[in-house]
């Protein structure tokens, strides 16, 4: 795995593609995962396109997030380091939020957006969603220990607590609040839990950081997004996240929406064939638009 340096921090990335690619695609992972969630899409799309995936700062094999972090600025810096002038950005969960911010901050750099179970900068999560997370996820670890973990004040962190939190989060969000563990194949379940486990382990043991979003926030500026946009929504995902998919599809001019039945928060992992097919069709429209002249 290769590295680029962004503000002194190593960012781990992979890229693949033919000698003469039809375009460039950058894959942005979810907050509960890392770049491995894109295995299927990375391989399939690289037959025709230059495809880049990376672990954002503080995730996967990249360096730690410490102090103030701005992920959409990191995204543009990674593109600069890899000499990517313009690309389609495909983002899952908070990766989608950062893709939208990049499209607003640097519209000439973004050829298109694919937003999958996306977050949205400046949009507050509804109270009932936060309460559901407390009941179903945070309760998996005793409250006193969880508070110490979040403050970075527990030494050492109990691996059983990390695993319990990861499994509870995967069940609630990746499977979906109205589905059980058996809704996911064993392979998908283990991959999702392992990535999520590493997220919590690093969050609880690494340096403290804070996140800076685009200002003014993206939530009030969707009408400014000029890039062609595809919104992919899992119909078994958490309701508050599905509501964001609705906001994106309605607020971004001419955005297209695809709803995937019986699909939770990580469609690229759970429904790889369907997601890849949707990406292939979208990329063809972006990079090879049909001629309308006679």
């Amino acid at each position: 795995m290769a590295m680029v340096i962004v503000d002194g921090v190593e960012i781990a990335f992979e890229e693949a593609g033919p000698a003469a690619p039809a375009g460039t695609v950058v894959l942005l992972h979810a907050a509960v995962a890392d770049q491995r969630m894109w295995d299927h899409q990375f391989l399939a799309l690289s037959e025709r396109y230059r495809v880049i995936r990376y672990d954002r700062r503080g995730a996967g094999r990249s360096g730690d997030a410490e102090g103030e972090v701005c992920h959409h600025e990191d995204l543009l810096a990674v593109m600069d380091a890899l000499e990517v002038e313009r690309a389609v950005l495909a983002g899952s969960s908070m990766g989608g939020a950062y893709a939208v911010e990049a499209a607003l901050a640097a519209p000439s750099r973004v050829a298109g957006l694919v937003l999958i179970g996306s977050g949205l900068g400046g949009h507050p999560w509804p109270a009932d969603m936060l309460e559901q997370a407390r009941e179903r996820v945070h309760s998996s670890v005793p409250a006193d220990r969880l508070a110490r973990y979040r403050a970075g004040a527990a030494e050492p962190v109990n691996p059983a607590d990390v695993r319990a939190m990861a499994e509870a989060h995967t069940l609630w969000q990746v499977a979906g609040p109205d589905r059980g563990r058996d809704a996911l194949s064993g392979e998908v379940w283990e991959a999702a839990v392992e990535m999520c486990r590493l997220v919590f382990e690093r969050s609880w043991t690494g340096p403290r950081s804070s996140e800076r979003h685009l200002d003014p926030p993206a939530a009030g500026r969707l009408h400014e997004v000029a890039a062609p946009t595809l919104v992919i929504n899992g119909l078994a995902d958490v309701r508050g996240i599905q509501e964001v998919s609705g906001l994106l599809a309605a607020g971004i001019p001419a955005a297209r929406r695809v709803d995937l039945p019986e699909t939770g928060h990580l469609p690229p992992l759970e429904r790889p064939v369907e997601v890849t097919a949707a990406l292939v069709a979208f990329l063809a429209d972006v990079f090879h638009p049909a001629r309308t002249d006679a």
Side-chain angles (χ1 to χ4, degrees):
M1 186 171 294
M3 298 282 182
V4 293
I5 306 298
V6 174
D7 292 335
V9 176
E10 288 189 330
I11 302 296
F13 76 95
E14 292 184 3
E15 69 171 308
T24 301
V25 184
V26 180
L27 305 173
L28 309 168
H29 65 79
V32 295
D34 56 50
Q35 65 171 282
R36 291 174 293 173
M37 67 168 285
W38 295 107
D39 280 353
H40 188 279
Q41 294 75 35
F42 182 75
L43 181 63
L45 297 178
S46 64
E47 293 180 5
R48 187 171 191 184
Y49 302 99
R50 181 188 184 192
V51 185
I52 297 165
R53 61 177 176 175
Y54 71 93
D55 292 323
R56 66 173 169 262
R57 187 187 305 233
R61 297 186 182 183
S62 289
D64 286 336
E66 186 170 7
E68 184 179 79
V69 178
C70 183
H71 289 296
H72 82 267
E73 291 181 358
D74 278 359
L75 163 59
L76 294 170
V78 168
M79 292 173 64
D80 287 341
L82 297 178
E83 299 182 342
V84 176
E85 182 177 344
R86 196 163 180 259
V88 167
L89 308 180
S92 174
S93 188
M94 287 307 296
Y98 306 136
V100 172
E101 291 182 334
L104 290 167
S108 65
R109 309 290 301 277
V110 180
L113 292 171
V114 181
L115 309 175
I116 306 175
S118 184
L120 177 59
H123 173 76
W125 295 119
D128 61 339
M129 174 179 163
L130 299 177
E131 180 57 30
Q132 192 175 75
R134 283 190 288 269
E135 291 176 355
R136 300 197 185 190
V137 180
H138 304 165
S139 63
S140 62
V141 175
D144 58 334
R145 288 211 299 271
L146 182 58
R148 292 199 300 273
Y149 291 156
R150 286 175 160 174
E155 190 67 40
V157 170
N158 186 338
D161 287 342
V162 180
R163 177 80 185 190
M165 192 80 159
E167 289 188 344
H169 200 287
T170 300
L171 180 60
W172 173 63
Q173 194 176 66
V174 181
D178 298 321
R179 299 198 297 172
R181 174 173 173 168
D182 60 357
L184 303 177
S185 70
E187 182 179 4
V188 169
W189 172 265
E190 287 301 328
V193 169
E194 174 60 13
M195 289 188 288
C196 193
R197 183 188 69 78
L198 293 173
V199 168
F200 283 120
E201 181 177 72
R202 194 158 185 184
S203 172
W204 294 347
T205 60
R208 304 296 93 185
S209 65
S210 61
E211 190 171 338
R212 174 170 54 83
H213 285 278
L214 187 68
D215 186 25
R221 300 175 59 189
L222 295 180
H223 62 283
E224 298 178 31
V225 176
T229 299
L230 174 65
V231 176
I232 299 178
N233 175 61
L235 289 174
D237 202 350
V238 175
R239 186 178 67 180
I241 297 171
Q242 293 199 57
E243 290 173 354
V244 171
S245 291
L247 292 174
L248 294 167
I252 296 176
R256 289 175 266 171
R257 174 172 174 166
V258 173
D259 288 315
L260 297 177
E262 299 181 6
T263 304
H265 189 55
L266 295 182
L269 187 66
E270 184 183 359
R271 306 288 181 215
V273 174
E274 294 91 333
V275 170
T276 297
L279 277 164
V280 167
F282 179 75
L283 292 173
D285 286 346
V286 170
F287 292 123
H288 311 282
R291 291 182 60 180
T292 59
D293 56 317

